[in-house]
Amino acid sequence: QVQLVESGGGLVQPGGSLALSCAASGSIRIIYGMGWYRQAPGKQRELVAFITSAGNTNYADSVKGRFTISMNNAKNVYLQMNSLKPEDTAVYYCNADLLANFIRREAWGQGTQVTVSS
């Protein structure tokens, strides 16, 4: 009984900015970390950024210096995306490493489309 809901996707021009949000809800006892993955058509899903509950972050090389991940209230994760490029176009998925009902597992959101195009 865990749900991750993303919001903030949309269309933006190259060089523009966009912010994504994800809220976790349900019978969650602990969230160890949350992050964002993305998948473009014909490509594998890849890690974009991840943040632990302690505040440690990890970014894909392709987004370093442009994207910033943050988390607050131990259940919400945000991704600020700046200097967007066409190659950033993908469906972005929220991910959480969590403990719910005595089981540690990953949870996934349904995804939100980000399109970078002129």
Side-chain angles (χ1 to χ4, degrees):
Q1 196 175 342
V2 174
Q3 188 175 21
L4 302 182
V5 180
E6 304 103 331
S7 63
L11 175 66
V12 65
Q13 294 187 85
S17 298
L18 204 61
L20 304 182
S21 299
C22 176
S25 63
S27 302
I28 302 168
R29 301 184 79 90
I30 303 171
I31 293 180
Y32 302 102
M34 299 183 74
W36 293 91
Y37 290 71
R38 68 187 181 188
Q39 187 167 27
K43 295 184 178 180
Q44 293 185 318
R45 192 127 101 192
E46 65 175 351
L47 172 70
V48 177
F50 201 85
I51 184 168
T52 70
S53 60
N56 300 312
T57 59
N58 187 44
Y59 295 91
D61 288 341
S62 60
V63 307
K64 287 181 180 177
R66 299 189 297 120
F67 292 9
T68 302
I69 190 168
S70 62
M71 185 170 70
N72 83 36
N73 211 27
K75 67 175 184 177
N76 300 309
V77 65
Y78 308 92
L79 187 68
Q80 178 64 49
M81 304 183 291
N82 299 321
S83 301
L84 284 161
K85 305 174 181 179
E87 48 263 47
D88 294 318
T89 296
V91 176
Y92 284 68
Y93 297 91
C94 180
N95 167 267
D97 174 14
L98 55 84
L99 180 71
N101 300 118
F102 297 95
I103 301 172
R104 185 171 180 174
R105 68 177 182 88
E106 288 191 329
W108 293 90
Q110 292 298 305
T112 185
Q113 177 70 47
V114 172
T115 302
V116 184
S117 177
S118 60

